[in-house]
Amino acid sequence: MDQSSSRPLEREEIEAFGAELDALRQRVLGSLGEEDARYIRRIRSTVRWTGLGGRALLFASVLPPAWVGGTLLLGLSKILENMELGHNVMHGQYDWMRDPEFRSQSYEWDTVCPADAWRHSHNYLHHTFTNVVGRDRDVGYGVLRIFPEQPWHPGFLPQPLYAVWLALWFEWGVAFHDLELDRVIRGEKSPKQAARELFPVLRKASRQVAKDYIVFPAMAGPLFIPVLAGNATANVLRNVWAFLVIFCGHFTDGVESFQESNLADETRGEWYLRQLRGSSNLEGGPVFHVLTGNLSHQIEHHLFPDVPAHRYGQMAEDVRRIARKYGQHYETGSLVRQFATVARRILRQSFPSRPAKPRPAIGDVPTLQGVAA
């Protein structure tokens, strides 16, 4: 599937499209209140209690069922903290509460990536330059060729193996990709600057490593190894899950990449169109959506990153209706289906491919066509 099913829009239609989405955003922001505050506080409490329960069971892991249960509970806690709590709080979705615990600029999450680095690489670079090749560093995370516009070289041939490595160590990939080490290699960034930026990453990573792989295992005494293994497994579960959700929200067959020319004098309506065409959703039930941090509604998240994510489900009905009204493709599918297209894209782009033909900017007619996987 590609985005070619989206019909060309005249400039007046693009701005009308943007105005309808702006109105939807303002309507939801104007309705935020105590119910939304209770929701995020429940998530915070769930993160704490599942974390405590998981670690307590791991301390009793001389019994195999306790180890399995403790590892799964701790993994659940880390997934919820990463996806539904940390990610969404750091987007400013709950700044309106004026609660220091949920303040976007001071929240620090349970992962090796420092929050300040993530706010730069994700909140600024990724959400500003979504899928713009050469500007959005989340495209392949510096190690994968995702779109044919990215220059091919032989180092991409084993990239399916790189993808497996990235999934298992995803928190480390996120932590280091903002350092732009590839630019250091190309001489575009000084080693001195990279060293300055590396220090906060190493400081945060050392705390995380000490907590999960030294302090808690040591507290277990003779059960040091089972607790160490449980903590490591919980981190891997969180890493793989985050990788799946994020890649299925950005790199399925139905998403589009963009050139820097799209950014020239980009209007609000054109920005909305780029977010719609550069994102894809996942279908599932309420529990599934919570476990993804509601990033299963990746389209809505890219359109409205500062709106509390638990509202995306209700907003999705309006977004789909507006997209249909203006003849725009709304990419969605099951986790299995979407990941199959992601895997196919990673495999296909590991081989040389013909450069994509230059395409007009979103505001031009005809509209951009979808990129073949």
Side-chain angles (χ1 to χ4, degrees), residues 35-226:
E35 183 178 346
D36 302 278
R38 282 198 300 269
Y39 175 82
I40 197 61
R41 289 185 177 121
R42 285 198 301 270
I43 293 295
R44 175 203 58 193
S45 296
T46 302
V47 167
R48 289 176 177 174
W49 285 110
T50 52
L52 286 171
R55 294 194 185 279
L57 282 173
L58 284 174
F59 281 5
S61 57
V62 66
L63 303 172
W67 186 89
V68 173
T71 299
L72 292 177
L73 262 184
L74 184 58
L76 173 63
S77 176
K78 287 176 175 288
I79 286 171
L80 287 174
E81 195 280 333
N82 188 200
M83 310 293 283
E84 184 74 328
L85 184 59
H87 172 274
N88 293 337
V89 166
M90 287 192 292
H91 263 296
Q93 295 177 7
Y94 296 95
D95 281 352
W96 58 272
M97 292 171 58
R98 301 189 184 282
D99 184 332
E101 188 171 2
F102 302 106
R103 183 173 176 269
S104 61
Q105 295 303 308
S106 58
Y107 189 90
E108 187 62 67
W109 56 352
D110 180 33
T111 178
V112 298
C113 179
D116 284 340
W118 186 86
R119 279 185 280 263
H120 173 257
S121 64
H122 183 83
N123 284 14
Y124 170 62
L125 287 178
H126 174 58
H127 278 271
T128 302
F129 307 113
T130 306
N131 280 17
V132 175
V133 176
R135 298 296 297 274
D136 180 4
R137 293 188 59 80
D138 281 16
V139 174
Y141 286 83
V143 296
L144 302 176
R145 182 175 186 249
I146 298 295
F147 298 115
E149 289 88 349
Q150 296 172 264
W152 181 88
H153 58 75
F156 286 124
L157 286 172
Q159 78 170 11
L161 298 179
Y162 302 163
V164 173
W165 177 91
L166 183 60
L168 294 174
W169 299 89
F170 193 56
E171 62 175 322
W172 294 90
V174 170
F176 281 94
H177 97 287
D178 189 47
L179 296 176
E180 302 180 323
L181 298 179
D182 55 316
R183 293 185 60 218
V184 177
I185 295 173
R186 295 194 300 268
E188 300 171 359
K189 181 176 180 179
S190 72
K192 188 175 181 179
Q193 180 183 352
R196 285 197 304 268
E197 296 171 355
L198 177 62
F199 178 74
V201 174
L202 295 179
R203 181 176 57 191
K204 176 69 186 300
S206 65
R207 293 174 182 170
Q208 292 296 118
V209 169
K211 173 175 68 71
D212 277 342
Y213 303 129
I214 299 175
V215 175
F216 279 111
M219 290 171 60
L223 294 177
F224 182 97
I225 296 300

